[in-house]
């Protein structure tokens, strides 16, 4: 502490200790203009609470996915007197939970019991990779955080119905890609027609950011409500057609689950290798085949429905 001021003062090592940043990171932030220069006292640099608060703001924005270049723009606007409170409020609103579902915890023994009682290390590893489970470190017992208990419950029900865990994780990967595409389109749509007027300035003014945050709160449930309604409509339509197809006299024969080899032209293999790499050829061919089968099945269902109408 300085004798002339009641404000805390830090050496760079102390600042690193209190902020959680490294000395090297602090110096790098100074060089990039993200952190104000310290006060020079003789041969020493002195930092204050302003520097500590700025480091914590930078860390928070980095955690939310902002790049250092974007953070610099925000902080420069704040330093110029345009304010940052509204922007941080908007960031917090967007980064907050988009569901009322609350995370839960599950022990490894409980997890194994829910999925048949037999430990499956590969399935757990894939679940962690997909974010269905998160490891909880520093625990005496092996325990996991479950961000979405509903998602885990669905997987458990599917497995109990006879679906292999590898098929469940593969389906989730494909479903996630499709849902992320829907989310991206919804964001593009709402940005174009709603949020563009709030984001004309970079960064937006406090007033615009506060209005945009309020709009996020209003529109947040709409994407899920729309997808829920459309999924229910599609499931009813397609499930009915699917059942009619399988109950018709010309229903397909029972599925042959024995693997078999199918020759693929060398030039096709080489083209796939160039596209996805040699190690992913089998997975790519399998996925492409399954997608083609699904497409043709839907075409058949549609054709049969049209013929019977």
């Amino acid at each position: 502490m300085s004798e002339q001021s009641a404000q805390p003062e830090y050496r760079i090592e102390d600042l690193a200790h209190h902020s959680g940043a490294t000395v090297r990171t602090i110096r790098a932030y100074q060089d990039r203009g993200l952190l104000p220069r310290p006060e020079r006292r003789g041969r020493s640099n002195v930092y204050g609470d302003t520097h500590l608060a700025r480091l914590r703001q930078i860390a928070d924005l980095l955690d939310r996915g902002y790049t250092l270049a974007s953070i610099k723009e925000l902080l420069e606007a704040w330093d110029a007197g345009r304010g940052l409170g509204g922007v941080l409020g908007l960031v917090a609103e967007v980064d907050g939970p988009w569901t009322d579902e609350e995370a839960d915890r599950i022990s490894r023994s409980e997890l194994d019991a829910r999925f048949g009682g037999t430990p499956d290390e590969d399935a757990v590893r894939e679940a962690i990779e997909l974010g269905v489970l998160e490891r909880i470190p520093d625990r005496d017992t092996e325990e996991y955080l479950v961000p979405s208990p509903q998602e885990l419950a669905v997987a458990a029900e599917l497995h109990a119905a006879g679906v292999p865990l590898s098929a469940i994780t593969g389906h989730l990967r494909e479903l996630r890609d499709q849902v992320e595409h829907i989310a991206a389109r919804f964001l593009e749509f709402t940005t174009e027609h709603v949020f563009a007027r709030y984001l004309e300035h970079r960064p937006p003014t406090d007033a615009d950011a506060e209005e945009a945050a309020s709009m996020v709160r209003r529109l947040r449930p709409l994407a899920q409500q729309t997808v829920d309604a459309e999924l229910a409509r599609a499931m009813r339509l397609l499930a009915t057609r699917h059942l009619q197809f399988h109950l018709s006299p010309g229903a397909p024969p029972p599925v042959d689950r024995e693997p078999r080899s199918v020759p693929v032209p060398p030039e096709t293999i080489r083209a796939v290798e160039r596209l996805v790499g040699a190690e992913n050829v089998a997975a790519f061919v399998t996925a492409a085949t399954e997608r083609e089968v699904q497409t043709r099945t839907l075409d058949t269902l549609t054709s049969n429905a049209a013929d019977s109408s």
Side-chain angles (χ1 to χ4, degrees):
M1 292 286 291
S2 169
E3 296 178 358
Q4 302 172 342
S5 171
Q7 295 297 320
E9 294 181 349
Y10 311 96
R11 296 174 304 164
I12 192 168
E13 294 82 5
D14 299 326
L15 184 65
H17 173 73
H18 284 85
S19 67
T22 64
V23 169
R24 183 177 179 181
T25 296
I26 292 173
R27 288 181 174 143
Y29 288 168
Q30 288 177 185
D31 293 340
R32 299 189 64 157
L34 289 162
L35 197 67
R37 291 286 175 181
E39 183 180 345
R40 190 74 176 174
R41 298 270 184 85
R43 301 177 65 179
S44 301
N45 288 327
V46 177
Y47 298 84
D49 273 349
T50 300
H51 297 89
L52 182 59
R54 177 60 59 91
L55 285 171
R56 287 171 175 167
Q57 287 174 339
I58 294 172
D60 181 58
L61 290 168
L62 285 172
D63 287 343
R64 297 176 188 275
Y66 283 76
T67 64
L68 287 176
S70 299
I71 293 171
K72 185 178 181 182
E73 287 186 14
L74 291 171
L75 297 176
E76 284 176 348
W78 191 19
D79 291 338
R82 287 181 54 189
L84 191 60
V87 173
L88 292 180
L90 175 58
V91 170
E93 195 66 50
V94 171
D95 195 47
W98 284 68
T99 175
D100 294 332
E101 188 178 14
E102 295 184 2
D104 199 358
R105 295 188 177 203
I106 189 170
S107 69
R108 179 56 191 268
S109 59
E110 292 171 333
L111 182 66
D112 291 341
R114 291 187 68 178
F115 287 88
T118 304
D120 189 329
E121 300 302 327
D122 289 338
V124 172
R125 177 183 51 78
E126 282 204 82
I128 293 172
E129 184 180 324
L130 287 164
V132 176
L133 298 174
E134 295 179 9
R135 291 191 186 276
I136 300 177
D138 303 325
R139 301 286 299 182
D140 294 334
T141 58
E142 190 174 358
E143 195 172 21
Y144 300 92
L145 180 71
V146 184
S148 173
Q150 292 180 4
E151 191 170 52
L152 188 66
V154 169
E157 287 293 336
L158 289 172
H159 184 258
V163 183
L165 287 174
S166 58
I168 294 173
T169 54
H171 176 71
L172 178 57
R173 290 181 189 278
E174 182 179 353
L175 179 65
R176 185 166 292 180
D177 287 341
Q178 295 168 348
V179 171
E180 286 179 0
H181 174 72
I182 294 172
R185 290 292 300 119
F186 189 82
L187 287 173
E188 292 169 3
F189 171 77
T190 53
T191 297
E192 178 184 358
H193 296 284
V194 179
F195 291 106
R197 60 180 176 269
Y198 301 119
L199 305 176
E200 292 175 348
H201 305 95
R202 288 186 56 125
T205 64
D206 257 6
D208 282 347
E210 289 171 3
E211 282 195 55
S214 175
M215 191 63 68
V216 169
R217 285 191 293 273
R218 288 176 54 192
L219 299 185
R220 176 181 290 166
L222 299 188
Q224 183 172 348
Q225 290 170 5
T226 301
V227 171
D228 285 348
E230 284 300 309
L231 180 61
R233 181 199 64 80
M235 286 298 298
R236 179 183 180 186
L237 175 67
L238 296 181
T240 300
R241 291 178 179 176
H242 196 68
L243 183 62
Q244 290 173 347
F245 175 72
H246 282 276
L247 294 181
S248 65
V255 177
D256 180 5
R257 298 190 179 276
E258 289 298 319
R260 63 183 65 182
S261 299
V262 178
V264 179
E267 58 272 16
T268 301
I269 295 295
R270 287 193 292 271
V272 174
E273 285 181 348
R274 289 194 297 270
L275 184 63
V276 300
E279 68 280 6
N280 295 317
V281 168
F284 181 89
V285 171
T286 300
T289 304
E290 289 177 349
R291 178 161 293 188
E292 180 66 19
V293 170
Q294 291 171 358
T295 299
R296 295 196 178 196
T297 299
L298 290 175
D299 288 345
T300 301
L301 291 172
T302 303
S303 177
N304 288 346
D307 292 341
S308 61
S309 62

